[in-house]
Amino acid sequence: MVVATYQLDVDLDNDGLWEAGENLTADIYNEAPHAPLVWERGKDQLRALAPPAAGKASWELNNRASAYGPTSNVKRGRPCRIRATHAAVTYDMFLGVLERPRQNPQEELRSVGVTALGTFSRLVGKETLSTALSQTITTDVAIGLILDAIGWPAGAGDGGRVLDVGKTTLDWWWLDGEDAWEAIKALLYSEGPGALIYEDGRGRFVFKNRHARITEARFTASQGSYGGAAGTGFYDAQEDDGLGHVINVCEIETKKRSAAALGVIWTLGSTVTLTPSETRKYIARHTSGDPMTAAVAPVDVTDYTVTVGSLSSVTLDRTSGATVTIILTAGTAGATVTGLQLRAQRVAVDSVTKVANTLDASASITEHSRQTFTLPVRAEIGVNVAQDFCNGIVSWYKDGRPLIRFTVPANADTAWMTQALAREVGDRIQITEANTGLSSTPFWIEWVRHAVSAGTGLHLTTFGCEKVVLDTELYAVWGTSKWGTAIWGL
């Protein structure tokens, strides 16, 4: 049996450092009836088309010395990490924050059960964002703006970000009171089929553009083989033919916008009375909900009239977006203001185009009936790009796409342990399983879970995978040798 060593750290003083006294590995319970050390990362389903999910982890701490009671620093929000070392290589496996310590004071347990969430938990339901309006930016730039807005660390260090350059250009992009997580998912789908977002073992936000699965080695070349020959088997395999996820009709609505001439887009419609030196804010929005650009700070006489007293300043919080905040500050004698308005260029919708796949899926429709999927992209993408997306989705899913979930005992030998620790979301592997007809069949890993009972050395790794999109189903990519037959130039 091959045994790796594991390390669990909790940043007890929340200072951003992993210090010697914060290594809790020795207090992880190893024997029954206690739960193993578990962590998982990847998608919320096994499909490549599924959205990403925040990672999860759980373990139990020995609390017979009462070191981890309710008043200890093992509490919600503390950063934590899991690492594993095998064959002199240390692997970062999970980075997140404690979610819910649970005291188990009964004598036969005397433990603290701990759950943790991955770094993506920062995004879910935590922020309502309104941004300035951007023009002609790629998806990765928009993702970066969201991460900046919620305070996600810059750089590629632990908990940072690794962003490919996006292949989709957004004519216009802004947020108007939107949840960060929902906005991120819309950008993922706007990048197109094949794009990937996940948190890696270092807790970093990873964005792979839609060409990555076609051009990067870990997506195009097998990183490991499972099943088949003696010594490479697996167990607890569950295969799904994918026919429950057929898509033979795909639709996208696009909108073409342009900036109008400078004009009045908002008026207050009432008199403002300010006390001496008082500051007051007004949120200006066009009644249509359309965003604006090139907003001009209101000018005396043109955009308002002071009938009593004076204003010491009139400023804007920004010059574009769905909303712009006007900030009035009265002079030392106060002020009475009438006729307040905001001038800006409204970015209105010129045309709406709804596109659907042109790729023939009649055989699939006959067999499975119409299975429609509306791709939730940002509407401000090109019509031709949207058309290619629809064809791409239908090409991949009109006949279903096999899924498989299987478990391997990583501690069985050195090669298996290395495979378990080194594999990442998105990696390509090969699977052979005679009963289901799989013979060196390529799959992409979409989800991975580890369960370790350190006392026994047992390490079980479960992979959730979707069958690789083969070259005959791929789209062409300029400047590479990858040329598809179903879709052109995506």
Side-chain angles (χ1 to χ4, degrees):
M1 177 184 290
V2 174
V3 179
T5 59
Y6 307 92
Q7 181 174 330
L8 169 67
D9 297 301
V10 176
D11 186 5
L12 297 173
D13 56 8
N14 204 27
D15 65 354
L17 302 175
W18 305 110
E19 296 153 325
E22 297 175 330
N23 182 342
L24 307 188
T25 309
D27 286 332
I28 299 176
Y29 257 127
N30 296 326
E31 72 278 1
H34 304 286
L37 171 64
V38 175
W39 66 94
E40 65 180 64
R41 295 183 289 106
K43 304 291 191 67
D44 68 356
Q45 302 173 38
L46 304 189
R47 299 188 302 152
L49 199 58
K56 300 176 183 177
S58 61
W59 60 87
E60 275 192 80
L61 293 174
N62 183 334
N63 198 33
R64 292 190 177 275
S66 301
Y68 305 117
T71 60
S72 74
N73 279 329
V74 176
K75 59 186 179 183
R76 184 187 296 269
R78 289 293 192 257
C80 62
R81 72 174 181 180
I82 299 170
R83 308 178 92 190
T85 300
H86 169 63
V89 178
T90 297
Y91 299 88
D92 293 290
M93 304 303 295
F94 179 86
L95 183 73
V97 294
L98 302 190
E99 180 190 26
R100 188 183 60 184
R102 183 186 65 255
Q103 300 292 323
N104 301 313
Q106 53 268 43
E107 180 58 32
E108 67 273 19
L109 294 178
R110 294 290 297 277
S111 69
V112 178
V114 182
T115 57
L117 292 175
T119 49
F120 275 9
S121 61
R122 302 175 189 167
L123 294 163
V124 182
K126 300 295 179 64
E127 298 284 344
T128 300
L129 302 179
S130 296
T131 69
L133 179 67
S134 297
Q135 185 175 8
T136 318
I137 63 171
T138 50
T139 45
D140 64 296
V141 175
I143 289 171
L145 291 172
I146 294 174
L147 297 181
D148 290 344
I150 66 168
W152 192 288
D158 289 353
R161 59 184 85 171
V162 182
L163 308 180
D164 278 357
V165 175
K167 299 302 179 182
T168 295
T169 297
L170 303 161
D171 294 338
W172 303 93
W173 181 83
W174 73 101
L175 296 180
D176 180 18
E178 297 176 49
D179 176 77
W181 186 237
E182 295 303 317
I184 288 287
K185 289 192 291 185
L187 290 169
L188 169 64
Y189 289 118
S190 299
E191 176 59 20
L196 181 64
I197 287 176
Y198 64 93
E199 59 181 56
D200 69 6
R202 297 173 61 186
R204 299 181 300 184
F205 185 109
V206 180
F207 166 67
K208 307 303 295 183
N209 65 37
R210 66 174 180 265
H211 289 178
R213 293 191 193 240
I214 301 172
T215 59
E216 290 189 21
R218 75 180 182 95
F219 297 104
T220 61
S222 177
Q223 306 299 298
S225 297
Y226 300 83
T232 59
F234 51 78
Y235 65 93
D236 192 28
Q238 304 169 43
E239 190 188 14
D240 182 335
D241 59 16
L243 295 181
H245 305 291
V246 166
I247 300 171
N248 48 41
V249 178
C250 183
E251 300 174 338
I252 296 177
E253 183 176 276
T254 68
K255 296 179 180 179
K256 190 70 176 176
R257 295 177 179 269
S258 62
L262 185 68
V264 177
I265 60 98
W266 173 87
T267 58
L268 180 59
S270 61
T271 299
V272 179
T273 301
L274 303 175
T275 60
S277 302
E278 180 185 358
T279 294
R280 195 173 299 181
K281 298 179 180 181
Y282 294 92
I283 298 175
R285 173 195 296 274
H286 193 274
T287 54
S288 68
D290 289 330
M292 68 189 87
T293 190
V296 177
V299 177
D300 190 14
V301 179
T302 301
D303 300 307
Y304 63 87
T305 301
V306 179
T307 58
V308 177
S310 65
L311 291 174
S312 63
S313 66
V314 180
T315 58
L316 305 177
D317 68 333
R318 61 189 183 210
T319 60
S320 67
T323 62
V324 170
T325 300
I326 304 170
I327 306 164
L328 304 180
T329 302
T332 55
T336 299
V337 180
T338 62
L340 181 63
Q341 65 180 26
L342 179 69
R343 288 174 295 139
Q345 292 177 258
R346 176 187 170 193
V347 182
V349 175
D350 297 324
S351 62
V352 177
T353 304
K354 189 171 186 177
V355 301
N357 55 289
T358 55
L359 184 136
D360 182 17
S362 56
S364 174
I365 293 172
T366 298
E367 183 172 359
H368 305 292
S369 74
R370 288 176 63 88
Q371 303 295 326
T372 302
F373 180 71
T374 301
L375 196 62
V377 303
R378 295 286 303 199
E380 290 75 25
I381 65 173
V383 171
N384 291 335
V385 172
Q387 182 70 75
D388 286 341
F389 286 3
C390 289
N391 285 337
I393 294 294
V394 171
S395 174
W396 290 11
Y397 290 99
K398 62 184 175 63
D399 300 312
R401 184 138 240 106
L403 312 171
I404 191 167
R405 172 176 171 154
F406 64 95
T407 299
V408 296
N411 51 283
D413 63 35
T414 295
W416 280 15
M417 184 62 77
T418 298
Q419 277 289 314
L421 299 179
R423 294 287 61 80
E424 185 54 273
V425 176
D427 283 354
R428 180 171 178 154
I429 60 175
Q430 291 189 148
I431 299 175
T432 298
E433 206 290 304
N435 290 330
T436 52
L438 300 177
S439 178
S440 298
T441 305
F443 282 80
W444 281 316
I445 297 171
E446 304 295 343
W447 171 85
V448 61
R449 179 183 188 269
H450 299 268
V452 176
S453 296
T456 63
L458 184 62
H459 182 149
L460 300 179
T461 299
T462 303
F463 295 112
C465 311
E466 181 177 276
K467 186 180 177 183
V468 161
V469 178
L470 301 177
D471 287 349
T472 54
E473 302 165 298
L474 288 173
Y475 41 79
V477 177
W478 293 107
T480 77
S481 60
K482 296 289 184 181
W483 297 95
T485 59
I487 313 148
W488 181 261
L490 185 58

